[in-house]
Amino acid sequence: MAAATTASLLVLLVGGAGWVYLRLNGSIATFGADGVSEDRPPEGAGGSNVLVIGSDSRSGGNRRLGGGEGDVGRSDTAFLLHVYGDARHAVAVSIPRDSLVDIPPCRLPNGDWARPQRNVMFNSAFTVGLTAKGNPACTQNTVEKLTGLRVDHTVVVDFEGFSKMTAAVGGVPVCLPKDIYQGDLNPNRGSKGKVLFARGPQLVSGQKALEYVRIRHGIGDGSDMGRIKRQQAFVSSLIKKIKSEGINPSTLLPLANAATQSMTVDPGLGSANRLIAFVMSMKDIDLHNTKFVTMPWHYQGARIAVVHPAADALWAALRADRTIDGKDASARHGRKNEDAEDGPNGSRGPASSVSGAGISVVVRNGTRVAGLAARAAAELRAVGFTVTGTATAPTQDRTTTVITYGPGREAEAHTLARLFPGADLQQATTPGIAVTLGRSYAEAPAPARAASAGDMSSGAADKARSADDDPCSNLSYG
């Protein structure tokens, strides 16, 4: 599942003491390179690309963790990690599992090659051939076709490995804005069930950590896109936890052991020596210099469509080994990353530098949360936007925030969107820009909004926090 990607990404980003893998040679499994397409993109201008896949196969030890039937290996979201040529910066691009993509020919277990598929869900590439281990090579082929980036290495971790890793570090700090019930994890159970997580801050590990990153319906907007944001924050918390305890054998050996026992890699990483060389090449990458973004997207019915040309610009920047705000990564050598998290739909640029100067917007409340439009208006004014009015939307049942923009206002709408993670951008025939707030905004923790607003005055931020009555409002874990 998507949660497992966090485990393998972590192995790559805390690798300063990669020598711990010397004791783990026998635990490293590989998949065959014969399934990798011969029609591959050329090498980029610099840096390297690592595809990180989470598998939710229910085979073996994964079965006891629940959540599905059958032994076919499946995947949810995946990260494409681009490590810049300066070896100090990286960006992890999430590719949602429901994204509609083209899958090129992929090798089947009997040696034949499957026919290409058009406009199908991204995660179906991993199931081509219907094997328990999945088809990592097919997913790699699909990512290369989607992005035009050559994937240098592919890593797969199942969710048993994720569960063991979080236990090995003694738990990861998280905070829940409300009580979460069994029915939130599995809405098909037909009842609310018992409380899985009590409201407030807590440590999660093992199966509890797995349940936390799998929740869709109890917090956020109930979508996989909201869950991706939570998983990205979880990765940050996990890395911070490990680094706070020190990078040493007593910390990393149990962690590495848990990871490699449930890890499958391409043949290029299939030995301890190769893993050491690869991990050590990233030893200077700090969490502050690692940006988590999501591929530019919008909803297409119940699925996710890739947004062009924004996605094309993202892939082109990475092929050129340039940051996603168009800068030369090598020029930032030795600096801490000043970028905040990506804006909604993969919009580019640091949220911390958002300026609404010269941009007018109407704010509407599309929920039943009293005062939500006024709160958003205050946050927008704090970063320079001109709010020309607030109102209640015709319907108050919106899940996702929607930004509509008239002719010639697309760039301004994308600037606005950087303050509303997960917002859906829609072009309209009427002039001007309007934002209709959904539950995704209402339920976002106050610190996340304050961070997105960048230079929001402390008074405005405090007002927004107090309006939430959120036990997590003064805490930050990701």
Side-chain angles (χ1 to χ4, degrees):
M1 64 162 298
T5 62
T6 63
S8 41
L9 182 61
L10 175 72
V11 169
L12 303 181
L13 294 180
V14 298
W19 45 266
V20 299
Y21 286 100
L22 283 170
R23 294 177 53 185
L24 306 172
N25 220 6
S27 302
I28 303 171
T30 62
F31 64 86
D34 50 1
V36 176
S37 174
E38 294 183 359
D39 182 18
R40 304 185 65 190
E43 297 285 350
S48 60
N49 302 299
V50 187
L51 176 61
V52 183
I53 306 169
S55 167
D56 68 351
S57 168
R58 268 59 177 181
S59 62
N62 293 296
R63 189 181 303 278
R64 63 180 176 79
L65 297 174
E69 298 179 355
D71 292 336
V72 175
R74 305 181 188 279
S75 72
D76 275 353
T77 55
F79 289 110
L80 182 63
L81 181 71
H82 179 76
V83 180
Y84 288 102
D86 69 353
R88 290 182 176 271
H89 297 80
V91 58
V93 184
S94 293
I95 303 175
R97 65 174 187 173
D98 290 348
S99 302
L100 295 174
V101 301
D102 294 339
I103 297 178
C106 290
R107 193 175 188 275
L108 300 172
N110 64 3
D112 293 338
W113 287 76
R115 293 183 177 180
Q117 304 177 60
R118 292 185 56 81
N119 204 40
V120 296
M121 285 173 56
F122 170 72
N123 69 338
S124 64
F126 198 75
T127 65
V128 170
L130 303 178
T131 64
K133 290 290 188 180
N135 198 330
C138 186
T139 300
Q140 177 177 317
N141 295 342
T142 302
V143 169
E144 290 191 336
K145 180 175 179 62
L146 171 68
T147 66
L149 287 156
R150 190 179 185 94
V151 175
D152 298 288
H153 294 294
T154 295
V155 179
V156 184
V157 174
D158 63 32
F159 61 48
E160 183 183 23
F162 171 82
S163 177
K164 288 180 178 179
M165 287 184 70
T166 58
V169 300
V172 179
V174 299
C175 188
L176 281 298
K178 57 189 289 190
D179 290 343
I180 304 297
Y181 296 84
Q182 289 175 315
D184 296 321
L185 182 63
N186 179 17
N188 297 321
R189 64 175 282 117
S191 65
K192 197 172 185 179
K194 298 178 180 179
V195 173
L196 287 177
F197 301 94
R199 181 175 182 262
Q202 55 207 276
L203 284 175
V204 295
S205 65
Q207 186 162 355
K208 291 289 286 185
L210 186 62
E211 291 170 346
Y212 172 78
V213 294
R214 290 174 61 198
I215 298 169
R216 286 181 57 185
H217 300 279
I219 50 179
D221 63 359
S223 71
D224 278 326
M225 306 312 297
R227 184 167 60 168
I228 286 173
K229 289 289 186 182
R230 189 166 66 256
Q231 290 167 351
Q232 290 172 343
F234 191 90
V235 172
S236 296
S237 293
L238 186 52
I239 295 172
K240 288 177 183 176
K241 175 71 181 297
I242 294 169
K243 290 197 171 184
S244 69
E245 296 182 356
I247 304 301
N248 54 64
S250 62
T251 300
L252 285 188
L253 188 56
L255 182 67
N257 186 56
T260 54
Q261 286 180 356
S262 302
M263 178 186 291
T264 303
V265 298
D266 67 88
L269 295 178
S271 70
N273 286 336
R274 290 171 179 171
L275 263 178
I276 290 169
F278 175 63
V279 172
M280 290 300 288
S281 72
M282 294 188 290
K283 65 183 178 64
D284 292 327
I285 299 175
D286 190 84
L287 179 60
H288 293 291
N289 294 330
T290 303
K291 187 175 179 66
F292 296 89
V293 303
T294 303
M295 176 188 71
W297 63 276
H298 66 74
Y299 283 113
Q300 183 171 307
R303 303 299 180 215
I304 300 297
V306 182
V307 172
H308 301 284
D312 304 319
L314 171 62
W315 309 134
L318 299 185
R319 284 195 298 271
D321 198 39
R322 298 179 70 82
T323 61
I324 59 177
D325 54 5
K327 297 179 180 178
D328 183 352
S330 62
R332 299 166 59 177
H333 184 85
R335 288 174 48 193
K336 283 190 175 182
N337 186 11
E338 297 173 356
D339 293 350
E341 288 189 359
D342 62 308
N345 304 340
S347 58
R348 299 183 300 172
S352 60
S353 63
V354 170
S355 172
I359 302 176
S360 298
V361 59
V362 174
V363 182
R364 303 187 181 103
N365 186 355
T367 76
R368 291 180 174 82
V369 179
L372 195 64
R375 186 170 73 198
E379 295 180 359
L380 290 172
R381 291 188 182 103
V383 289
F385 287 87
T386 299
V387 178
T388 57
T390 59
T392 300
T395 60
Q396 288 81 56
D397 58 356
R398 288 198 175 274
T399 297
T400 302
T401 295
V402 176
I403 295 173
T404 55
Y405 59 92
R409 296 297 184 90
E410 182 176 4
E412 295 177 348
H414 277 281
T415 298
L416 174 66
R418 285 159 60 188
L419 301 180
F420 296 94
D424 189 7
L425 274 72
Q426 299 178 359
Q427 187 169 8
T429 56
T430 54
I433 302 175
V435 55
T436 302
L437 306 169
R439 290 203 314 271
S440 57
Y441 174 80
E443 297 176 2
R449 292 198 305 273
S452 293
D455 296 328
M456 182 193 300
S457 68
S458 59
D462 290 342
K463 183 177 180 180
R465 290 190 185 99
S466 62
D468 276 349
D469 189 26
D470 184 348
C472 307
S473 63
N474 294 316
L475 302 171
S476 177
Y477 296 121

